[in-house]
Amino acid sequence: MKTRKLGTAGPEVSAIGLGCMSMSGAYGPADRRESVATVHAALDAGVTLLDTGDFYGMGHNELLLAEALQGRPRDSYQLSVKFGALRGPDGSMLGFDGRPEAAKTSLAYSLNRLGVDHVDIYRPARLDPDVPIEDTIGAIADMVRAGYVRHIGLSEVGAETLRRASQVHPIADVQLEYSLLSRGIEDKVLPAARELGVAVTAYGVLARGLISGHYDRAKLGQAGDFRGMSPRFQGENLDRNLELVEALRAVADERGASVAQIAIAWALAQGGDIVPVIGARSRDRLAEALGAGDLALSADDLAAIERAVPRGSAAGERYPAQHMAALDSER
């Protein structure tokens, strides 16, 4: 497994990380035993970066990771944890809490659920519009000095917020959705991150399975799968986006690779400061994704990919309008 550094201030991590959200019901029911086996397979393959959030399954994901990590040396993996998203008992999203007290309390609960004495990267899941980012980052910096956190990250913030946060404490990375279908960060946020020496951990590289080459319409709408609310998965938008997938499949076939591998390799090729975080929840999908790490794309390959899926060709936004309006990274 190749490695990449999370910015000038962050740790060395595997070039591809494992995102664990889908193991806790975000895309419908998941098999707990297979999820644990997938984490084990990732670690055995050299994946060190494991991404979770305290609101993934309302604590379920952290407890699952604690189970999967039993017996593994603490220095053999890095835990990236998000906090701040508020959820109701029915799973509904209720907003975000970035208050200093909330940051420290959430960290205490995460440490307990994960069964560790520190997390490697701690980050607010979104910007709380009612709390200055300086206050949130300052609270996490207190936890860095206390030894409970090693590095600070951010998620879905804009360029100005990233600059303000960096003045309080060095930022290792910023999590942003980045894929062939979602390239808006190239305008402002990615240049700002590079200016500040902040890496990008790219999630949604397969557009939540849409450009994985395995998307099954029949599964859309099953209980707990939040993709049903995404405009990209609805009606004519879905038809158009799947046409893009078929165009990408032609490029993949030419290279003797899968659609997913081409999409992940494209993200890797956008810069050594970008670390794709892949949301595999089965060993088969994990093995396929990791194969992208050995796929070197030529200039001709990249040009063919751009022709197949030009920037801006995605039909529909990644979230409904009200959710998009709340994203600092989209302003």
Side-chain angles (χ1 to χ4, degrees):
M1 172 64 67
K2 299 179 180 70
T3 62
R4 294 187 169 188
K5 196 170 188 300
L6 285 190
T8 56
E12 197 85 10
V13 301
S14 52
I16 297 175
L18 178 64
C20 301
M21 180 182 75
S22 64
M23 298 176 183
S24 294
Y27 299 158
D31 183 290
R32 187 181 187 90
R33 184 173 299 177
E34 181 62 21
S35 295
V36 169
T38 300
V39 175
H40 289 168
L43 294 170
D44 292 343
V47 173
T48 64
L49 182 62
L50 305 174
D51 183 75
T52 185
D54 61 10
F55 52 95
Y56 291 171
M58 286 72 82
H60 174 278
N61 203 244
E62 291 179 322
L63 292 170
L64 183 146
L65 274 178
E67 177 183 341
L69 294 172
Q70 286 182 6
R72 299 277 178 164
R74 182 61 185 89
D75 61 359
S76 67
Y77 58 86
Q78 293 124 339
L79 290 169
S80 170
V81 181
K82 290 184 287 296
F83 76 93
L86 303 176
R87 301 189 69 172
D90 60 354
S92 59
M93 300 301 297
L94 305 176
F96 299 93
D97 190 348
R99 293 174 302 144
E101 300 88 345
K104 294 178 180 180
T105 300
S106 296
L107 176 61
Y109 293 168
S110 287
L111 292 171
N112 186 61
R113 283 189 291 262
L114 288 163
V116 296
D117 62 3
H118 72 277
V119 298
D120 299 278
I121 310 154
Y122 199 54
R123 71 184 79 243
R126 296 288 189 271
L127 177 67
D128 184 338
D130 298 321
V131 178
I133 192 62
E134 290 86 354
D135 292 355
T136 305
I137 298 303
I140 305 175
D142 289 343
M143 298 296 92
V144 172
R145 287 186 285 271
Y148 298 117
V149 173
R150 295 288 185 264
H151 305 279
I152 301 179
L154 287 165
S155 179
E156 289 290 355
V157 298
E160 181 58 30
T161 300
L162 184 57
R163 289 192 176 94
R164 288 169 53 194
S166 296
Q167 292 177 354
V168 178
H169 189 279
I171 304 298
D173 70 313
V174 54
Q175 280 193 0
L176 297 161
E177 184 164 348
Y178 188 41
S179 73
L180 284 164
L181 297 190
S182 297
R183 298 180 58 177
I185 71 167
E186 294 174 352
D187 294 331
K188 296 179 181 179
V189 188
L190 182 55
R194 287 175 167 162
E195 170 194 329
L196 296 165
V198 176
V200 169
T201 40
Y203 74 91
V205 174
L206 298 179
R208 307 186 186 281
L210 185 55
I211 57 172
S212 66
H214 304 294
Y215 181 69
D216 183 357
R217 289 172 180 266
K219 293 182 178 180
L220 188 64
Q222 65 181 344
D225 190 338
F226 83 94
R227 289 174 294 188
M229 73 172 188
S230 169
R232 287 185 179 169
F233 286 84
Q234 296 174 1
E236 293 182 359
N237 287 347
L238 179 59
D239 294 335
R240 171 58 185 150
N241 291 328
L242 290 179
E243 288 175 4
L244 296 175
V245 174
E246 292 311 306
L248 191 60
R249 194 185 305 277
V251 179
D253 290 344
E254 186 70 22
R255 277 302 314 267
S258 71
V259 176
Q261 288 170 340
I262 286 290
I264 297 166
W266 175 87
L268 286 165
Q270 301 313 299
D273 54 352
I274 294 174
V275 176
V277 177
I278 307 303
R281 56 177 175 173
S282 72
R283 286 166 286 182
D284 288 347
R285 293 289 181 260
L286 173 70
E288 179 187 19
L290 296 184
D294 297 321
L295 184 60
L297 298 178
S298 67
D300 288 343
D301 292 331
L302 291 169
I305 292 169
E306 292 282 352
R307 289 193 296 271
V309 188
R311 179 177 171 175
S313 59
E317 296 286 1
R318 53 194 176 114
Y319 296 118
Q322 66 270 27
H323 291 188
M324 292 294 293
L327 289 175
D328 186 56
S329 55
E330 293 289 338
R331 295 171 185 163

